[in-house]
Amino acid sequence: MSSIESGGRRRSVTGIKGSLRALRNQLSLLNHQVGARLELRDGDLDCLELVLEHGPLTPSALARRAGLHPATVTGILDRLQRGGWVARERDPEGTDRRAVLVRALKDRSAELYGLYAGMSTAMDDLLADYDEEQLALLADFLRRTTEAGRAATEDLGRQG
């Protein structure tokens, strides 16, 4: 590889990393605005999103996925339940009578998704410009980037 090619590649890689940081910041701001509209703290919204994506979950499974202490998750679940976002239900497969699952309540979920409608429409418009092969490449990149982020998070958690 020539120094021109390596310099161009280095600039591209640096640009992609910078764009990912900018995207993370912008999505964080969007999530903060959504949370403020719904009167949810950032951590509460994060946990609600995890329940919507992976639920129903036990509180301990939610704590692991969120990287939070179980006592912190208990407080978050109390607020989400009071707000009508989630329900705690007895775990039918639990060996302990106290075992519960946290389930998102669908009627409130529509309110949440409505606030993301503008971003969803913008993404649909943006992605319409890409062909199937390009979309597959983007999907693979985002999946692998998410996995790299998950691994880095777990590594930091083990160090702490």
Side-chain angles (χ1 to χ4, degrees):
M1 181 182 302
S2 74
S3 61
I4 294 173
E5 288 174 330
S6 64
R9 179 177 176 80
R10 190 172 23 257
R11 277 189 297 281
S12 293
V13 168
T14 299
I16 289 168
K17 289 177 180 179
S19 292
L20 286 171
R21 282 191 301 278
L23 175 61
R24 189 215 62 85
N25 289 332
Q26 194 56 56
L27 291 176
S28 179
L29 292 169
L30 174 62
N31 289 339
H32 184 72
Q33 288 292 320
V34 167
R37 289 270 182 103
L38 299 173
E39 299 180 1
L40 293 173
R41 298 177 187 181
D42 290 348
D44 297 3
L45 181 59
D46 292 342
C47 286
L48 177 58
E49 290 277 355
L50 287 169
V51 173
L52 285 165
E53 183 179 352
H54 302 286
L57 293 170
T58 64
S60 59
L62 177 58
R64 278 191 304 278
R65 283 190 181 273
L68 297 171
H69 189 278
T72 302
V73 169
T74 298
I76 289 171
L77 291 176
D78 288 345
R79 288 190 297 275
L80 290 174
Q81 189 169 13
R82 276 194 307 272
W85 293 101
V86 300
R88 290 175 172 125
E89 301 169 342
R90 188 166 181 276
D91 183 352
E93 297 178 13
T95 56
D96 183 341
R97 290 181 325 162
R98 297 169 294 174
V100 297
L101 290 174
V102 178
R103 179 180 56 82
L105 299 175
K106 297 300 178 202
D107 33 333
R108 289 300 310 262
S109 300
E111 185 179 353
L112 174 66
Y113 293 136
L115 292 173
Y116 286 109
M119 182 62 174
S120 181
T121 298
M123 291 302 302
D124 289 342
D125 293 344
L126 176 71
L127 294 171
D129 293 336
Y130 293 91
D131 64 32
E132 289 295 321
E133 188 174 316
Q134 292 169 319
L135 289 172
L137 178 67
L138 288 169
D140 179 63
F141 172 76
L142 291 171
R143 181 188 54 74
R144 292 170 64 190
T145 301
T146 300
E147 187 51 44
R150 183 177 297 113
T153 301
E154 289 171 2
D155 286 349
L156 277 176
R158 283 191 289 273
Q159 293 172 15

